[in-house]
Amino acid sequence: LTEAEAPDSMVLEAIRRTRGAGRRVVLVTGRILRSLLTSFPDAERAFDAIVAENGGVIWLPGTGSRPVGPPVAPELAVALEARGVPVERGEVLLATQAIHDQVVLEEIARLGLEVQLVRNRGALMALPPGVSKGTGVLEALAELGISGHSAVALGDAENDHSLVESCELGIAVANAVPALQEHADVVLGGRAGRGVIELLGGPLLRGDIRVQPKRWQVRLGRSADGAPVTIPGSQVNLLVTGGTESGKSHIAGLLAERLVTMGYGVCVIDPEGDHTGLEALRGLVLVGGEDPTPSPEQLSRLLRLGSVVVDLSLRGPERADACRRLLTALEEHRERSGTPHWVILDEAHLVPDLALLLRLGPGPSAAGVCAVTWRPEQLSRETVEAMDFAVVLPGSDERSATCLRQAGFAATSVEERATTTPGQFEGLLLDRQTVQRFVTDPRSSPHVRHWHKYQSSELPYHQRFFFRRRDRLTGAVAASMADFHHEISRAEPEVLRHHARNRDFSRWTNDVIRDHELAALLRLAEENLARDGLATTEQGRKLLLQVIETHYTGR
């Protein structure tokens, strides 16, 4: 910010304009607050928050300052002063000069203290363990209701490493120490305050350019040689496309998992109920389903707390309208707060208003949208062109390939392949120049098919399951998985054994429902049913029902 005691008027004017445009500006310093205010008395009026003592103290308007963590043991200051080392005591840290580092280390060892030493060019700070500029700024941002993933950090010295790591983008001024410049996502052309002015009035904050952070990369899988295949965690949009059972929901769920784990705010709009298993993630809440779709106000409150999956599988023909209302609410919430950082929309071809989130028009589109669809050609061309990456999975037809080529993606195709292992799929990651073949990583949360999705959706007549004895139909018919479960529960033993011997249950589930995982489990249950004996048949019936219930409800 400055190489003098206080920033000059041009720097302060740039900060004032930035705050006037609706952004928050936080001063983060290693200096003790009272010392800072002595040389820079306007600091409290110039910033939305101050993080002092290298993360140990936070000041906020209206509440004043408070320590973050316990102070360094006072006996260390007494011991250092006794050895002639000048020490300045703060609320949390002890400050001295770096030339005394050896004496400080000796006294810490002699006293048996747990203290960390941090350099700031010629200064040396003794801090409690775990306190840094990075932890301090995240605490201050939380007080302001802002995520670190919505923040840019600017530094110049050794004690700024944790600061640039804690925020989405880490930036170094031109006079920053070489190690910090190497670590930063951007190195500015100006020194100190000139660099600050360059950033605040430059193309990055205007949205004219995007910078993908080095630290925040989302791993989707691995290439044939074992190298990680990743996309940036911000500043990009992703299209996921492929045929039925190709792994689209797996990729979307994996992306959500990784983003939530990395601290990004995510909202998944789930028309088919394929992502309810994400509720297992810490910091994510599932809404909708049998409960009403959240109102815009309710959705905003939930997003302030973390990430959300909105299950619309029970909305039937109202799903498209519900999606549109949610997208409108999300766009307004993003304008106010910057979150959610990502919106993941399954069955995106059903919602023409996806362009609303992308704010298509002159200049760069908004980022942080993942559109999942088996029909990308039904999206507007502008929407597809706003995508930075595309994951192409097996089953994509020529119409999908043509759509991607017209949007400028590297042209290619992916042949049909079975998954290599359960829970993994093969696909291609495309951008405008390159194609990477990869195998997806496994997911940690369960991909649970939603029971209600199949309970409320009836199959065409020719695809229904007709129960029969060996010589004739029984009259029982299953038009959905709920019917299937119900009829198995009351079928006569002879009917169950007949279908089990012919593997009818697993074949219908595999070929019509297209649930290969459930079909494999049902085949095991059919082996029990195929054996004669009433007791064995009842055990087999119970196993069939249990397999279906567990697979679709996760219980």
Side-chain angles (χ1 to χ4, degrees):
L1 189 65
T2 179
E3 294 179 278
E5 283 295 295
D8 63 35
S9 60
M10 293 180 64
V11 175
L12 293 176
E13 175 59 22
I15 292 171
R16 188 192 66 77
R17 288 196 303 269
T18 300
R19 295 178 69 195
R23 298 186 186 275
R24 304 294 188 95
V25 183
V26 179
L27 172 62
V28 187
T29 177
R31 294 165 69 176
I32 294 170
L33 186 59
R34 63 175 180 272
S35 174
L36 171 72
L37 295 178
T38 298
S39 57
F40 183 15
D42 291 333
E44 292 179 340
R45 290 186 292 274
F47 299 94
D48 293 285
I50 298 173
V51 177
E53 296 196 23
N54 212 66
V57 172
I58 292 174
W59 172 88
L60 291 163
T63 61
S65 66
R66 65 175 176 86
V68 182
V72 171
E75 54 263 38
L76 178 60
V78 173
L80 292 174
E81 289 167 346
R83 294 188 62 175
V85 175
V87 174
E88 186 178 8
R89 305 189 194 196
E91 289 185 67
V92 171
L93 63 65
L94 298 178
T96 185
Q97 297 300 309
I99 57 174
H100 302 297
D101 57 354
Q102 189 58 45
V103 176
V104 176
L105 283 170
E106 289 172 3
E107 289 304 314
I108 290 172
R110 184 181 68 80
L111 294 169
L113 300 176
E114 185 178 10
V115 177
Q116 61 172 331
L117 298 182
V118 178
R119 285 177 175 267
N120 179 8
R121 298 186 186 271
L124 183 69
M125 294 169 284
L127 288 155
V131 173
S132 68
K133 281 190 174 182
T135 61
V137 78
L138 289 178
E139 183 75 14
L141 290 173
E143 293 280 1
L144 296 173
I146 298 171
S147 164
H149 287 295
S150 301
V152 173
L154 183 62
D156 72 335
E158 300 95 328
N159 60 330
D160 291 321
H161 280 275
S162 65
L163 176 64
V164 301
E165 287 178 351
S166 65
C167 295
E168 185 65 19
L169 288 178
I171 300 179
V173 289
N175 60 315
V177 296
L180 190 70
Q181 293 192 32
E182 180 68 24
H183 197 62
D185 299 301
V186 175
V187 178
L188 299 169
R191 295 173 58 91
R194 303 305 98 180
V196 173
I197 294 171
E198 177 187 339
L199 171 67
L200 297 183
L204 180 62
L205 291 196
R206 285 200 306 268
D208 295 342
I209 61 172
R210 291 180 180 173
V211 175
Q212 275 79 48
K214 299 174 184 177
R215 294 167 304 286
W216 307 107
Q217 294 288 315
V218 182
R219 174 173 163 146
L220 299 178
R222 67 182 190 280
S223 61
D225 61 1
V229 173
T230 65
I231 63 170
S234 67
Q235 309 293 302
V236 296
N237 297 312
L238 173 67
L239 175 68
V240 179
T241 185
T244 304
E245 302 298 325
S246 62
K248 298 188 300 299
S249 294
H250 178 91
I251 285 284
L254 177 64
L255 176 68
E257 278 184 7
R258 296 285 161 88
L259 291 169
V260 170
T261 300
M262 295 164 71
Y264 288 97
V266 178
C267 182
V268 181
I269 300 179
D270 187 11
E272 297 292 336
D274 285 330
H275 300 290
T276 58
L278 292 171
E279 188 180 22
L281 298 176
R282 186 170 55 130
L284 185 144
V285 62
L286 173 67
V287 296
E290 295 179 335
D291 298 321
T293 303
S295 68
E297 295 76 18
Q298 290 169 332
L299 184 61
S300 291
R301 286 196 293 271
L302 291 170
L303 289 170
R304 285 197 292 270
L305 298 174
S307 295
V308 180
V309 173
V310 185
D311 173 17
L312 300 176
S313 61
L314 296 185
R315 298 301 175 266
E318 300 175 2
R319 282 181 295 184
D321 288 338
C323 282
R324 292 187 183 97
R325 290 193 297 270
L326 287 169
L327 290 178
T328 300
L330 286 169
E331 195 269 343
E332 293 173 354
H333 186 82
R334 271 184 154 185
E335 281 292 307
R336 294 193 305 270
S337 69
T339 58
H341 302 104
W342 280 83
V343 176
I344 301 174
L345 177 60
D346 214 336
E347 304 293 336
H349 56 279
L350 300 177
V351 189
D353 291 357
L354 179 60
L356 177 69
L357 272 181
L358 295 165
R359 295 202 300 273
L360 300 177
S365 63
V369 173
C370 173
V372 184
T373 176
W374 66 284
R375 293 261 56 99
E377 70 278 3
Q378 292 185 15
L379 302 175
S380 70
R381 181 165 180 171
E382 294 79 10
T383 295
V384 180
E385 288 175 346
M387 299 292 133
D388 302 282
F389 292 89
V391 171
V392 181
L393 297 160
S396 297
D397 59 20
E398 186 54 36
R399 288 175 297 180
S400 298
T402 299
C403 171
L404 292 173
R405 284 196 297 270
Q406 290 175 344
F409 283 98
T412 188
S413 62
V414 58
E415 67 270 22
E416 287 281 0
R417 290 194 182 191
T419 57
T420 52
T421 59
Q424 293 182 326
F425 300 84
E426 288 199 9
L428 303 173
L429 178 63
L430 314 181
D431 59 21
R432 292 323 196 267
Q433 288 83 37
T434 62
V435 178
Q436 296 182 77
R437 183 177 293 278
F438 72 104
V439 176
T440 65
D441 283 342
R443 286 175 50 175
S444 61
S445 64
H447 177 199
V448 179
R449 291 177 176 272
H450 203 293
W451 172 256
H452 301 291
K453 169 181 170 181
Y454 292 92
Q455 188 177 40
S456 60
S457 174
E458 290 197 349
L459 293 164
Y461 183 82
H462 68 280
Q463 290 185 319
R464 298 177 182 183
F465 190 96
F466 294 84
F467 287 82
R468 63 181 299 134
R469 297 180 179 84
R470 185 173 59 179
D471 56 342
R472 66 186 187 278
L473 295 172
T474 67
V477 181
S480 67
M481 282 303 299
D483 291 345
F484 187 58
H485 179 273
H486 176 68
E487 295 299 339
I488 287 174
S489 71
R490 65 177 191 165
E492 295 177 3
E494 175 189 349
V495 174
L496 293 178
R497 288 196 296 270
H498 168 76
H499 288 302
R501 293 189 188 103
N502 293 315
R503 300 294 188 264
D504 292 334
F505 296 140
S506 58
R507 185 166 56 251
W508 179 75
T509 305
N510 187 78
D511 298 345
V512 175
I513 302 299
R514 302 281 294 168
D515 191 334
H516 311 306
E517 183 180 349
L518 177 58
L521 296 171
L522 289 176
R523 275 193 290 274
L524 297 176
E526 285 170 331
E527 292 178 5
N528 283 338
L529 272 167
R531 305 187 185 99
D532 290 327
L534 183 60
T536 304
T537 301
E538 291 309 312
Q539 290 173 1
R541 185 201 306 271
K542 184 177 179 180
L543 183 57
L544 277 175
L545 297 174
Q546 185 179 18
V547 163
I548 295 169
E549 291 164 7
T550 301
H551 189 69
Y552 283 106
T553 67
R555 294 193 293 270

